[in-house]
Amino acid sequence: MNTHVALFIPCLVDQFLPDIGTDTARLLRRLGVSVSYDPRQTCCGQPMINAGRTDKARTLAQRFIDIFYDASKDSAVVAPSGSCVYTVTRHYPELLEGEYKKKALELAGRVYELSDYLVNVLGVTDTGSGFTGSVAYHHSCHIVRGLGIMAEPIALMDAVPGAQMLFLPDMDVCCGFGGEFSANYPEISGAMVEDKVNKAVATGAEYLVLAEPGCILNIRGYVEKQGLPLKVLHLAQVLATESGTMGKEAAS
């Protein structure tokens, strides 16, 4: 069992959703995991890969390996994002050559999305969360189709005693974010997020929970623009909630 984690904080968390990062660290520490954070870390290069700028992405991939390879030799790298984990574990070995490619392949075996690490490495489903509220769960594309992670976040949510899980139709259908997709095709993206939110609201859930920061920004932005009574949270925010704390406080 890896009991030390080098925390990998994606750009969107660092710049727009810092609570997700602090809740991830707080959750891991509560479960007995020691956590370190290297402030030298920067973007993993995912936006550059999506834009076809592999030269820029390659530079960032080498930087990531320089920072995390030695630091994680006896531990794991954990991120509250599936798309960034997918970039490191799947794209880096394709981008790099020589010694960096060798290191990328080794490093890929110890980089985990948060729910994957909790369930499949730590062997934990009950995180001691004190969250209370009715919840619908959305599976983000990179997590479910890229990494093949679907049962893990549901197992974690099912183990939260105060969470009433409600079925979300088409829970694994894209919310319309897709990085540059939402910028290049705003009409299609807007229709997709509208459909996702309408289905979530129709469940009667107070909260929509997911594990991908980019999708949270997309869905939360639409919800707030429409003034809808739905709170959008990251899985880490739910699981990190202390016992006795109501869900509405986790969403504040």
Side-chain angles (χ1 to χ4, degrees):
M1 176 188 299
N2 292 313
T3 54
H4 176 261
V5 157
L7 203 57
F8 166 28
I9 296 299
C11 302
L12 293 182
V13 173
D14 182 44
Q15 297 296 315
F16 302 108
L17 303 164
D19 287 353
I20 294 174
T22 55
D23 282 338
T24 299
R26 190 153 56 95
L27 170 64
L28 289 168
R29 286 176 176 140
R30 194 172 73 205
L31 296 173
V33 179
S34 64
V35 178
S36 63
Y37 172 77
D38 191 327
R40 295 176 301 160
Q41 61 186 274
T42 57
C43 176
C44 66
Q46 180 189 165
M48 292 74 174
I49 293 172
N50 292 341
R53 295 300 305 271
T54 53
D55 54 335
K56 300 291 185 184
R58 189 171 294 111
T59 300
L60 291 171
Q62 291 172 347
R63 177 180 174 81
F64 185 97
I65 289 171
D66 288 341
I67 292 170
F68 282 101
Y69 180 79
D70 288 333
S72 65
K73 273 193 171 178
D74 298 318
S75 60
V77 179
V78 174
S81 165
S83 61
C84 296
V85 167
Y86 185 85
T87 296
V88 173
T89 59
R90 308 298 201 274
H91 286 310
Y92 281 9
E94 298 171 351
L95 274 176
L96 301 169
E97 297 179 347
E99 187 63 21
Y100 273 113
K101 181 183 182 73
K102 180 183 175 183
K103 288 184 175 180
L105 288 167
E106 290 181 24
L107 184 58
R110 50 183 191 264
V111 178
Y112 299 91
E113 182 273 337
L114 177 62
S115 71
D116 184 21
Y117 178 77
L118 294 175
V119 174
N120 298 320
V121 179
L122 283 187
V124 168
T125 51
D126 184 354
T127 62
S129 170
F131 182 88
T132 301
S134 56
V135 174
Y137 190 86
H138 164 65
H139 290 290
S140 295
C141 297
H142 271 98
I143 296 176
V144 67
R145 281 181 279 281
L147 300 176
I149 296 169
M150 193 167 194
E152 290 83 350
I154 299 299
L156 290 162
M157 286 301 306
D158 282 342
V160 177
Q164 178 193 2
M165 292 294 289
L166 301 174
F167 176 72
L168 175 64
D170 299 327
M171 60 170 57
D172 60 343
V173 172
C174 180
C175 71
F177 178 59
E180 289 201 341
F181 175 82
S182 60
N184 293 334
Y185 304 97
E187 294 83 5
I188 299 173
S189 174
M192 293 172 76
V193 73
E194 179 181 2
D195 183 62
K196 176 65 64 181
V197 170
N198 285 343
K199 287 176 178 173
V201 171
T203 67
E206 299 168 87
Y207 302 92
L208 179 63
V209 176
L210 52 155
E212 188 63 53
C215 303
I216 288 176
L217 285 177
N218 185 43
I219 296 173
R220 185 182 290 170
Y222 180 84
V223 167
E224 291 179 353
K225 188 175 181 180
Q226 300 300 320
L228 298 171
L230 179 70
K231 298 177 181 67
V232 184
L233 296 178
H234 190 281
L235 179 66
Q237 294 176 286
V238 173
L239 300 182
T241 304
E242 298 290 343
S243 180
T245 303
M246 299 298 288
K248 63 181 181 181
E249 295 179 23
S252 64

